[in-house]
Amino acid sequence: MRLLDAPDPGFTSGCVLVPTMGALHAGHAALIARARSIADQRRARVVATVFVNPTQFNESTDFERYPRTLREDLALCERAGADAVFAPASHVVYPPDTTIPTPLLPKVATLPGLEDAHRPGHFAGVCQVVSRLFDLTSPGVGVFGEKDWQQLQVIRAMTIAQFRPIDIVPAETVREPDGLAMSSRNRLLDPESRERAAGIHRALARAAAQRSGPAEAERVLAESLADAGILPEYAVVRDARTLLPPKAAHDGPCRALVAARVGGVRLIDNVPWQPT
Ligand code: PAF
């Protein structure tokens, strides 16, 4: 496996790209394994990127305490089947004296009541860095995790709006045995918060089983989170693609989505929701 710290278009062009911020875990290994199977069909390479992007953090303390574990990350990428890891220094992504544009944000990035309400500017940073990583590596496919459901829709919409010939492929969320979605932030949870955090998935599972209507599912979600001692930033049912609130008679695929701080750590998760 190669470690790239500068763009190498001859090696990465047409690759299956797995952008990450490092601190990799089994969820990322599953993204890379998914990328491997797509790449084998296309006779392409798998390239994972490791870059903690400062422009998508709302709080500098959050950026500073984000775990950085490059040595372990490289070992995980190799085991999971990556051909290369692109781990650029900040000046490669954001060269001094050069303005890296922030792409036009798709509508799905700024909908009221979701991420933008709690992390203003976050998706501007995500779109900026993903666009930049696409420019630096020229992939044919980008693999993104479903745990960040809104991010997945934002990147999909941005890629289409930019007419990029890149397929955006989702990969399912990988969970701990008690249901907690794997996340690099989980390692910041103290033991009491870690136990409580499992309540997010319990609440989502109960809401998914309540299929009479979105309002009823949201009520179950709120109640279950309260039972677990979790006060969410949002806990909603939305259309899976547009992320707009579904109409009462809506029959398309939806998603139940939660963001909550548990023991000071911000966690997000979601599950499919479909009315009967
Ligand atoms: O999902 C993430 O880890 C990040 O938002 C991403 C897509 C790698 C951009 O920094």
Side-chain angles (χ1 to χ4, degrees), residues 19-21 53 56 126 129-130 144 151:
T20 83
M21 295 208 298
N53 173 38
Q56 69 186 76
V126 169
V129 78
V130 171
F144 293 85
Q151 171 174 282

Side-chain angles (χ1 to χ4, degrees), residues 1-17:
M1 189 187 74
R2 284 202 198 179
L3 174 59
L4 308 172
D5 57 9
D8 184 348
F11 189 82
T12 61
S13 184
C15 72
V16 182
L17 193 74

Side-chain angles (χ1 to χ4, degrees), residues 45-61:
R45 293 186 170 120
V46 173
V47 178
T49 69
V50 174
F51 179 67
V52 187
N53 173 38
T55 68
Q56 69 186 76
F57 285 84
N58 304 80
E59 296 155 25
S60 57
T61 48

Side-chain angles (χ1 to χ4, degrees), residues 86-248:
F86 178 43
S90 186
H91 67 84
V92 174
V93 180
Y94 300 118
D97 306 326
T98 309
T99 305
I100 300 299
T102 301
L104 202 65
L105 278 185
K107 204 173 147 197
V108 68
T110 52
L111 295 176
L114 294 173
E115 286 297 294
D116 191 55
H118 302 276
R119 304 187 74 188
H122 168 66
F123 282 130
V126 169
C127 286
Q128 183 185 39
V129 78
V130 171
S131 228
R132 179 80 176 133
L133 292 170
F134 284 170
D135 287 343
L136 293 172
T137 59
S138 305
V141 178
V143 179
F144 293 85
E146 289 188 347
K147 183 179 79 68
D148 297 80
W149 186 264
Q150 189 177 6
Q151 171 174 282
L152 174 64
Q153 306 317 315
V154 169
I155 290 169
R156 194 175 255 155
M158 178 192 82
T159 306
I160 292 170
Q162 293 179 347
F163 302 106
R164 289 185 189 265
I166 302 174
D167 295 332
I168 302 301
V169 173
E172 265 184 40
T173 303
V174 180
R175 299 184 179 281
E176 302 285 357
D178 64 1
L180 179 67
M182 287 200 181
S183 162
S184 307
R185 291 166 188 267
N186 291 355
R187 67 184 80 185
L188 302 172
L189 293 163
D190 62 46
E192 182 277 322
S193 308
R194 167 64 191 80
E195 210 178 317
R196 204 150 43 92
I200 295 179
H201 184 251
R202 272 200 309 278
L204 283 166
R206 282 187 198 146
Q210 172 49 261
R211 298 170 65 190
S212 56
E216 188 57 12
E218 284 187 358
R219 192 187 59 71
V220 170
L221 193 52
E223 262 177 29
S224 308
L225 288 168
D227 288 350
I230 295 169
L231 183 68
E233 288 183 350
Y234 58 80
V236 293
V237 173
R238 294 288 177 99
D239 178 272
R241 269 294 167 118
T242 65
L243 294 186
L244 289 166
K247 304 220 164 38

